[in-house]
Amino acid sequence: MASKDKRKMGMYIHVPFCIKKCGYCDFFSVPIVSSDMLERYTACAVAEIKQQRAELPDVEIATIYIGGGTPSLLTGSQLEQIIQSVQQEFMVKGDVEITIEANPATLDKTKILDIINAGVNRISLGVQSFSDDDLKVLTRIHSARKALDVIEFMHASRLKNFNIDLIYGVPGQSIDRWMESLKTAVECKPEHISTYLLQLEDNTPMGTSVASGKVFLLNEDTEYLMYNRTIDFLRENGFEHYEISNFCRPGFACRHNLIYWQAEEYIGIGPGAVSFVNRCRFVNEPLIKEYLVSIEAGRERPIKVLEKMSRADLASDAIILGLRLCQGIDLEHFKNRFNIDIIKQYGRNIAPCLERGLLECENGHLKLTKEGYFLSNEVLCRFIT
Ligand SMILES: C[S@@+](CC[C@H](N)C(=O)[O-])C[C@H]1O[C@@H](n2cnc3c(N)ncnc32)[C@H](O)[C@@H]1O
Ligand code: SF4
């Protein structure tokens, strides 16, 4: 089958291991206890890729995203086995974007080279902050100096594309301290910067500390100022603001995440990974032992269906995801894809958002305004079917 006839999808590979859990994080991952576990995981991920290929023979992979957890715990050889198995089993686009999420504590000069030699062409580095005070509050296992050293090694390597993840709204963080971190990030010359507002998750040590009054979150006005100054500062420094929390140098938007925001299909590999195929969203159960035992026995991994979508559900999802993108939704293109006129269908629901200046319609695109980005949840809930 010619490449143009294939169904294009992204592939997400979830590596559910970290050195130590950070106090704020609710992502599915467990502290790694032995390197044998990574060997078993790798063999099972490779086997699952084969299984999924049998289920989806006509798919071309456009992006590979190895996330976690901390996938940079895998050795170069383990990463290579996983990437090669995707390339052997599936047709893969020639210019495929292959991202790995990495914790600075797991990288040094040699490891960066191993990662690149394994086929990775984009590193997403979880820096979180360039202030050691913030890093302490976040219970990160590395210093700001370590992150800077790793970034220097990445520049000295042949890697051409890296992202820095930052978190703002950290308890005790001032606006100035946040802006200092952001300035340092820009000075590191990444192609991409993600800035996430700290999400307080109830079932985390930080959630417990806040609930018991030991730790205080910043107030919303401060968070709002931080976000607004972030947008202005990064734009002034040559970054395009292309999604609520994401900024890039021209041409360096994360292609894998664009697949999510454009409500396109993706395959998830590994325990805890979500797939979206044939309008069905399902998750590989976040159960590491059960996953390994099933795959090693040649059985299918345990999965749970999260949502079987009608075309109307998918359209509503596509609006909610698409509005996260700063370019907004091309109304004509949307009509062609879903046969839905958004303004006709949702006009009444969204009128208050248009009046309050949270949403706007410009050049045939419906989009959030700068004001609307920060209050996006208020707007997006108006499209839930
Ligand atoms: C799954 S982590 C992968 C990176 C790597 N594990 C690390 O932490 O170095 C992806 C990113 O999610 C963000 N993140 C995780 N928990 C968060 C939270 N509660 N609030 C805001 N951002 C969060 C962090 O910026 C983190 O870098
Ligand atoms: S933020 Fe990253 S390193 Fe920390 S627990 Fe979450 S996935 Fe692991």
Side-chain angles (χ1 to χ4, degrees):
M1 196 185 283
S3 160
K4 68 177 167 45
D5 300 319
K6 293 252 177 192
R7 271 165 87 185
K8 297 207 173 34
M9 291 193 192
M11 179 172 284
Y12 175 76
I13 298 162
H14 190 72
V15 184
F17 306 106
C18 291
I19 293 178
K20 173 181 157 264
K21 283 297 287 182
C22 305
Y24 57 90
C25 177
D26 190 31
F27 281 85
F28 172 57
S29 69
V30 298
I32 185 78
V33 283
S34 79
S35 53
D36 287 356
M37 193 55 137
L38 296 178
E39 272 298 308
R40 274 182 83 189
Y41 167 85
T42 303
C44 288
V46 166
E48 192 198 341
I49 289 164
K50 278 201 179 106
Q51 283 184 359
Q52 295 243 27
R53 142 82 202 191
E55 291 164 26
L56 296 162
D58 62 342
V59 164
E60 181 176 38
I61 298 299
T63 59
I64 301 174
Y65 194 102
I66 310 174
T70 307
S72 50
L73 283 170
L74 295 173
T75 64
S77 154
Q78 289 163 340
L79 283 170
E80 192 173 358
Q81 288 171 56
I82 292 173
I83 293 169
Q84 280 191 355
S85 78
V86 180
Q87 283 164 334
Q88 278 159 12
E89 297 300 325
F90 288 87
M91 181 176 259
V92 173
K93 274 192 87 181
D95 63 346
V96 62
E97 174 191 88
I98 308 182
T99 303
I100 185 172
E101 287 181 340
N103 182 316
T106 61
L107 298 187
D108 58 20
K109 222 186 230 173
T110 317
K111 186 64 185 275
I112 292 168
L113 295 181
D114 289 348
I115 286 175
I116 297 169
N117 288 335
V120 168
N121 52 30
R122 183 172 185 274
I123 294 182
S124 178
L125 193 66
V127 174
Q128 321 310 352
S129 174
F130 286 103
S131 146
D132 283 333
D133 290 336
D134 289 344
L135 292 175
K136 208 167 153 202
V137 174
L138 294 170
T139 63
R140 294 289 294 179
I141 54 170
H142 57 86
S143 62
R145 182 69 254 165
K146 172 69 185 177
L148 289 167
D149 289 345
V150 163
I151 290 167
E152 230 171 80
F153 297 147
M154 295 199 304
H155 275 300
S157 75
R158 57 178 204 281
L159 187 80
K160 292 279 175 294
N161 189 356
F162 76 92
N163 165 59
I164 292 178
D165 273 346
L166 294 175
I167 295 182
Y168 67 99
V170 177
Q173 189 180 47
S174 63
I175 297 181
D176 283 349
R177 193 154 95 198
W178 162 244
M179 291 309 291
E180 268 308 305
S181 239
L182 200 58
K183 186 163 164 266
T184 307
V186 168
E187 285 163 2
C188 288
K189 298 194 179 315
E191 282 65 36
H192 193 287
I193 298 180
S194 301
T195 57
Y196 299 116
L197 172 63
L198 178 71
Q199 298 299 308
L200 190 70
E201 310 288 353
D202 291 342
N203 52 337
T204 57
M206 186 177 273
T208 311
S209 299
V210 171
S212 64
K214 278 196 211 122
V215 169
F216 296 94
L217 289 182
L218 304 190
N219 65 50
E220 207 170 274
D221 290 346
T222 307
E223 291 173 351
Y224 175 74
L225 277 173
M226 285 174 161
Y227 182 59
N228 261 334
R229 288 188 58 181
T230 299
I231 295 174
D232 294 342
F233 181 75
L234 291 179
R235 281 185 181 158
E236 281 157 19
N237 281 280
F239 284 84
E240 280 174 13
H241 183 201
Y242 76 100
E243 192 268 350
I244 293 178
S245 309
N246 286 282
F247 302 82
C248 67
R249 298 249 174 238
F252 285 95
C254 175
R255 284 193 250 152
H256 183 79
N257 287 339
L258 282 174
I259 289 178
Y260 298 147
W261 297 318
Q262 289 166 345
E264 306 283 357
E265 294 181 306
Y266 50 88
I267 300 169
I269 301 288
V274 174
S275 299
F276 178 55
V277 177
N278 294 332
R279 275 198 257 132
C280 178
R281 206 181 294 286
F282 59 92
V283 62
N284 286 357
E285 292 272 23
L287 301 166
I288 296 171
K289 194 166 152 229
E290 286 79 350
Y291 174 85
L292 296 174
V293 169
S294 305
I295 301 259
E296 283 166 351
R299 295 195 304 269
E300 298 239 325
R301 73 276 177 210
I303 66 165
K304 184 163 105 190
V305 173
L306 301 173
E307 203 177 1
K308 279 188 178 157
M309 290 190 190
S310 64
R311 275 190 71 76
D313 295 334
L314 178 58
S316 140
D317 233 45
I319 298 173
I320 291 166
L321 292 164
L323 280 178
R324 296 190 61 91
L325 292 170
C326 300
Q327 67 181 25
I329 296 171
D330 181 330
L331 294 168
E332 194 60 34
H333 178 264
F334 192 89
K335 198 169 175 191
N336 292 336
R337 183 173 172 195
F338 294 106
N339 200 20
I340 287 177
D341 182 325
I342 296 183
I343 302 298
K344 260 195 199 150
Q345 178 142 343
Y346 294 95
R348 228 166 0 150
N349 280 7
I350 61 177
C353 299
L354 290 162
E355 275 158 30
R356 280 174 65 197
L358 302 178
L359 258 182
E360 66 184 353
C361 216
E362 198 184 61
N363 299 329
H365 284 71
L366 182 69
K367 51 186 172 183
L368 290 171
T369 59
K370 192 175 171 199
E371 200 70 17
Y373 297 142
F374 193 73
L375 299 173
S376 59
N377 288 344
E378 263 184 54
V379 181
L380 300 180
C381 67
R382 300 194 175 252
F383 295 97
I384 293 171
T385 45

